[in-house]
Amino acid sequence: MKSKLATRTLIALALASAAGVHAPSSVLARGEMDSMQAEGFANAVPKPLEGIGIDEHLGEKIDLDLTFKDENGQSVPLRSFVKDGKPVLLSLAYYACPSLCNFHMNGLLDAFKKMPQPLGQEFNAVVVSIEPKETPQLARDKKATYMKSYGRPEGEKGWHFLTGDAASIAKLAKQVGFNYRWDEGEQQYAHASAATVVAPDGKISRYLYGIVFDPKTIRLSMIEASDGKVGTVVDKLILYCFHFDSKASKYSLAAFNVMRAGGVAIVVILAIFLAPFWFRSRKGES
């Protein structure tokens, strides 16, 4: 099912933060701006960006048997990144992108640095290049740059940079609803910016949009996608008390769950407090 809100958000991102960089420069042509002003910015889709964006496929599954090449040139199926019940944070980008892809991965890097667990411990981050001409060597160079900035060698096995052939890339992009197009005039891809949360069985559970990411949102998304197989008891309790706000792309306090959890806690505390009196009473009667 298409998400109009997500598409409009990404169009706004394209215009506001990377106008003419990852999308054709004609996006801001005078005639189209007049048209946008007449129809209202929120509902206007510039022609160069038509068909570009994200169609959310929540609940659907990606093909985990799709095979790509890792940064060392080894053929690896996507299934290899969901071992031991670990979910995946999947990004489609390309390594020679002059702007938006770098902003996207820099945003992920900033979030990963703030997370207590190193990459690979609770989930894997996977970047798949949408450019079939890109090589494992380029992916390896890109990974080296980001791992140096990440500064945690133990997380090297948790962040993967893949390349692949046109057929595999197109199939994966279609499955996650990632719509992009090569612009011959600009000699670059017009595309959106989003990370897709994939459960261990391949099911798409969340889309996280933009170029700035909240580490708590990423972690809660991973815990949710793993059905509680990763994360601590406290993390799971926090997840119970929050729900995902798709408009804000973050978790918000769920009042009903908090009240219910509070009610259960009160019952447990009362039971613990009254248990000694109940046992003494029972002992006296006997």
Side-chain angles (χ1 to χ4, degrees), residues 24 53 56 69 71 78 96 115 119 132 155 173 204 225 236 239 241 244 247 249 267-269:
E56 291 193 353
K69 288 187 176 181
E71 56 273 5
L78 294 177
M115 299 177 77
L119 285 168
I204 298 171
K236 295 166 191 175
L239 183 61
C241 294
F244 188 76
K247 293 182 179 180
S249 286
V267 170
V268 171
I269 291 172

Side-chain angles (χ1 to χ4, degrees), residues 138-153:
L138 184 57
R140 184 160 60 251
D141 292 344
K142 181 66 72 169
K143 177 173 181 175
T145 298
Y146 277 94
M147 292 311 304
K148 181 178 180 180
S149 183
Y150 182 54
R152 299 166 77 175

Side-chain angles (χ1 to χ4, degrees), residues 7-246:
T7 301
R8 290 172 184 169
T9 300
L10 291 163
I11 290 171
L13 175 64
L15 294 173
S17 58
V21 179
H22 74 286
S25 59
S26 57
V27 166
L28 295 180
R30 176 63 184 174
E32 295 198 25
M33 284 300 293
D34 291 341
S35 174
M36 289 169 62
Q37 291 170 358
E39 297 177 15
F41 179 79
N43 295 317
V45 180
K47 287 184 179 180
L49 286 181
E50 286 180 355
I52 304 301
I54 305 293
D55 295 337
E56 291 193 353
H57 293 169
L58 292 170
E60 298 181 23
K61 291 185 177 182
I62 66 172
D63 182 0
L64 293 176
D65 291 322
L66 282 175
T67 300
F68 296 88
K69 288 187 176 181
D70 66 14
E71 56 273 5
N72 296 312
Q74 301 297 315
S75 293
V76 291
L78 294 177
R79 189 176 302 281
S80 63
F81 304 115
V82 294
K83 295 183 298 184
D84 303 324
K86 293 177 183 177
V88 162
L89 188 64
L90 174 67
S91 296
L92 271 66
Y94 69 109
Y95 307 127
C97 180
S99 182
L100 186 58
C101 299
N102 293 322
F103 293 149
H104 174 84
M105 287 190 282
N106 288 346
L108 290 176
L109 174 65
D110 290 341
F112 295 158
K113 285 181 175 180
K114 297 173 184 176
M115 299 177 77
Q117 292 78 14
L119 285 168
Q121 182 171 315
E122 294 186 339
F123 69 94
N124 287 304
V126 176
V127 182
V128 176
S129 172
I130 59 175
E131 172 54 86
K133 295 179 182 179
E134 292 193 325
T135 65
Q137 177 63 55
L138 184 57
R140 184 160 60 251
D141 292 344
K142 181 66 72 169
K143 177 173 181 175
T145 298
Y146 277 94
M147 292 311 304
K148 181 178 180 180
S149 183
Y150 182 54
R152 299 166 77 175
E154 67 273 25
E156 180 152 352
K157 293 183 179 180
W159 201 351
H160 310 273
F161 292 71
L162 311 181
T163 55
D165 58 58
S168 297
I169 293 169
K171 187 173 183 179
L172 179 61
K174 184 176 181 180
Q175 289 174 354
V176 301
F178 187 87
N179 301 308
Y180 62 100
R181 182 177 64 248
W182 175 256
D183 182 80
E184 189 63 31
E186 298 289 332
Q187 288 293 295
Q188 58 185 300
Y189 284 97
H191 63 91
S193 176
T196 306
V197 179
V198 180
D201 63 353
K203 184 181 294 184
I204 298 171
S205 64
R206 289 277 172 253
Y207 288 87
L208 305 178
Y209 295 99
I211 57 176
V212 178
F213 300 93
D214 176 26
K216 292 182 181 178
T217 297
I218 292 178
R219 190 153 188 265
L220 288 176
S221 296
M222 295 298 110
I223 294 170
E224 184 180 50
S226 71
D227 287 329
K229 293 180 181 178
V230 301
T232 65
V233 173
V234 174
D235 292 327
K236 295 166 191 175
L237 179 60
I238 291 174
L239 183 61
Y240 178 79
C241 294
F242 285 73
H243 77 280
F244 188 76
D245 183 345
S246 58

Side-chain angles (χ1 to χ4, degrees), residues 255-282:
F256 178 74
N257 284 351
V258 172
M259 292 173 63
R260 187 159 59 178
V264 171
I266 290 173
V267 170
V268 171
I269 291 172
L270 285 174
I272 294 172
F273 178 75
L274 295 175
F277 296 99
W278 184 78
F279 281 118
R280 281 199 295 269
S281 175
R282 294 280 294 177

